[in-house]
Amino acid sequence: MDLILWRHAKAKNPEGAEADTDRELTARGRRQAEKLAEWLRAQPLRDVAVLSSPAKRALQTAQTLGLPVKVKTQLGVGASTADLLGAVDWPDHAGAVIVVGHQPTLGRLASLLLAGTEADWTIKKGGIWWFTNRVRLDETQTVLRAVLCP
């Protein structure tokens, strides 16, 4: 299984009565998302599922891929690592899952996958962390394949 954690790109600052989940990408954020989407489309991923937080900025980031996007409430702001793992069916999903979500949850999941414990690791806005789960010599391994920042 390939699991790609993609933090939403740069969004507008909250102003006035605007709800946090209604914040849109800035022009810079759109460029960031498009640049990383182009990179993702060039990768040898198979059976790709794109899952997004319902927050507008995450959904806009995910849509730059040009693939169908499934919105999952369990990926929203304040989600837990258990929510994310359940939503993506790690490590049993066949193919690749791209999750577009938020900090601090994405960083905590990256820490859990690599270090075995949750810690507040940072994934930059628009950044991608790509993990692969594999079995070698009857041992399950998590491999970090790539980290990209826009």
Side-chain angles (χ1 to χ4, degrees):
M1 173 180 185
D2 288 298
L3 175 61
I4 297 172
L5 305 179
W6 190 6
R7 184 177 177 192
H8 66 79
K10 184 167 177 50
K12 294 178 182 176
N13 291 327
E15 297 175 7
E18 181 180 24
D20 179 58
T21 56
D22 292 335
R23 292 172 40 215
E24 295 184 0
L25 295 180
T26 63
R28 179 179 178 200
R30 287 185 189 280
R31 287 190 305 273
Q32 289 174 338
E34 288 167 3
K35 181 178 179 181
L36 276 282
E38 182 179 340
W39 183 85
L40 281 169
R41 285 190 298 270
Q43 302 312 304
L45 299 170
R46 61 179 180 79
D47 300 323
V48 178
V50 181
L51 309 178
S52 175
S53 157
K56 187 177 262 185
R57 60 194 181 273
L59 186 55
Q60 288 176 324
T61 300
Q63 289 170 334
T64 61
L65 282 167
L67 297 171
V69 177
K70 185 170 186 176
V71 174
K72 294 240 179 189
T73 56
Q74 55 278 50
L75 302 177
V77 176
S80 70
T81 55
D83 292 333
L84 266 71
L85 288 172
V88 303
D89 193 27
W90 175 266
D92 300 320
H93 180 85
V97 178
I98 299 172
V99 175
V100 184
H102 310 275
Q103 277 294 96
T105 311
L106 293 178
R108 289 178 181 158
L109 182 54
S111 169
L112 180 63
L113 293 176
L114 286 178
T117 185
E118 286 186 37
D120 287 329
W121 290 6
T122 299
I123 295 178
K124 298 286 187 183
K125 288 180 184 165
I128 288 175
W129 287 44
W130 178 0
F131 298 90
T132 297
N133 181 42
R134 66 183 184 192
V135 177
R136 288 264 170 99
L137 302 173
D138 294 325
E139 180 182 327
T140 300
Q141 302 173 339
T142 300
V143 177
L144 180 61
R145 299 213 29 196
V147 174
L148 287 99
C149 292

